[in-house]
Amino acid sequence: MEPRPTGYTPQEYGSVSVLVGARNGAYPYGNSLLVRGTDASLVVDPSLSLVDDAPPADLVLVSHAHEDHIAGLGRYDVPVHVHHGDLEALRSRAALVDALGLPPDTVEAVDAQMRDEFHVTGRPDAQAFKDGTVFDLGGRTVTVVHLPGHTAGHSGFLVEPDGFLFVADIDLTSFGPYYGDVGSSLVDFEASMRRCADIDVRWYGTAHQKGVIEGAAEFRRRLDAYAGVVERRDGELLAFLGEPHTTDEISDHRLVYRPHVEGAHIRPVELRTARRHLDRLLGQGRVEEVEPGRFRAA
């Protein structure tokens, strides 16, 4: 296995320290937060880059139960909180892997990867928060903003009075929104993007390469481009359905990943993504089922 870089680069935004992960937070790394108040401090999403150098904190908040957001969690013997929609996946590695919806013959290998490469052991002590839960650090608050779609419990965090909104995996990358897990939802993801656009703050922090965006106007411009990837996938699917095709054929055509990308997760993610787009386009009358399991653009 190729040695991975370690450590992070702190960047300051008011009282919020963004701990920028290796390779600018690109997967398998990520960007974590350290927020300090007068009474307590917390870390958000302890990433792989915190495994060897975790800053002290009084509690940990997790935006959602994906391995790249919790790889450094074992460094913290403090209370850990996540939205109840992702609670079981954070408490149990088996539940986390199960939520990926992988082919049965790949589960053992992926579980070993979660254990060995991402240090995921499960946190049975994890506690649930809900939308609007406020963590008071003394002179500074962190409020949960539930942003489901990526996962059922995916959440952002609003830090005040600094005006910093962490939007986690609404990450504005060119890859676009990911809603390919078992518990993901395209409808919810689009609603969550609209909710983010309605929140006016000074800074918007992402979990991966795009880092921190300053200003609501610039954030909304980038968010529009990011949301446009969903529209592009709709367009690609409609073009492909100029002739009737099954969901298996749509999966092979690929809406999400480029043809050269390989992995156990590719086919199930493509299938779930295809079905979610089909459901929406069927509901809009833009696609019709010409015979059981075969679809064509209307």
Side-chain angles (χ1 to χ4, degrees), residues 5 10 38 60 67 69 73 112 114 129 132 137 144 156 163 170 177 190 210 212 217 228 248 257 281:
T38 57
V60 174
E67 67 278 4
H69 295 259
L73 191 55
M114 296 297 177
F129 56 57
L137 306 179
V144 175
I170 300 179
E190 291 187 312
K210 298 304 178 181
V212 176
D248 282 338
Y257 294 101
L281 293 171

Side-chain angles (χ1 to χ4, degrees), residues 34-153:
L34 174 62
V35 186
R36 298 184 180 91
T38 57
D39 300 329
S41 63
L42 62 78
V43 161
V44 173
D45 284 3
S47 73
L48 201 58
S49 295
L50 271 62
V51 169
D52 296 324
D53 186 21
D58 299 293
L59 68 154
V60 174
L61 304 183
V62 174
S63 66
H64 64 292
H66 275 168
E67 67 278 4
D68 51 321
H69 295 259
I70 60 173
L73 191 55
R75 301 289 294 180
Y76 290 98
D77 186 18
V78 299
V80 176
H81 303 259
V82 70
H83 190 274
H84 60 78
D86 278 20
L87 184 60
E88 290 309 311
L90 187 60
R91 286 179 169 177
S92 161
R93 187 175 70 236
L96 183 150
V97 173
D98 188 57
L100 301 177
L102 300 171
D105 61 346
T106 68
V107 168
E108 185 176 351
V110 171
D111 182 71
Q113 180 188 32
M114 296 297 177
R115 181 192 66 222
D116 299 337
E117 297 184 32
F118 290 94
H119 315 284
V120 177
T121 58
R123 285 296 294 255
D125 60 317
Q127 304 171 49
F129 56 57
K130 61 182 180 180
D131 185 45
T133 297
V134 178
F135 296 89
D136 190 342
L137 306 179
R140 187 148 282 106
T141 60
V142 179
T143 302
V144 175
V145 181
H146 187 210
L147 301 171
H150 183 62
T151 67

Side-chain angles (χ1 to χ4, degrees), residues 3 15 17 57 68 73 121 126 128 151 167-168 186 191 209 215 265 275:
S15 70
S17 296
D68 51 321
L73 191 55
T121 58
T151 67
V167 295
L186 171 54
Q209 298 99 306
H265 64 294
R275 288 168 182 152

Side-chain angles (χ1 to χ4, degrees), residues 223-248:
L223 187 64
D224 284 345
Y226 182 71
V229 175
V230 178
E231 296 179 12
R232 187 191 74 205
R233 291 171 184 160
D234 274 345
E236 290 174 356
L237 178 55
L238 287 168
F240 185 62
L241 293 180
E243 299 291 337
H245 288 288
T246 66
T247 51
D248 282 338

Side-chain angles (χ1 to χ4, degrees), residues 213-288:
I213 293 86
E214 184 166 6
E218 177 63 13
F219 174 73
R220 288 171 185 145
R221 184 188 71 80
R222 297 196 189 197
L223 187 64
D224 284 345
Y226 182 71
V229 175
V230 178
E231 296 179 12
R232 187 191 74 205
R233 291 171 184 160
D234 274 345
E236 290 174 356
L237 178 55
L238 287 168
F240 185 62
L241 293 180
E243 299 291 337
H245 288 288
T246 66
T247 51
D248 282 338
E249 291 167 339
I250 297 168
S251 170
D252 291 339
H253 181 68
R254 295 198 179 189
L255 297 176
V256 181
Y257 294 101
R258 295 178 180 178
H260 70 277
V261 179
E262 299 179 350
H265 64 294
I266 300 295
R267 183 166 177 77
V269 167
E270 290 287 352
L271 276 170
R272 285 189 289 266
T273 301
R275 288 168 182 152
R276 284 161 187 159
H277 279 266
L278 279 172
D279 286 345
R280 184 167 71 164
L281 293 171
L282 284 163
Q284 294 171 349
R286 299 169 73 189
V287 165
E288 59 184 355

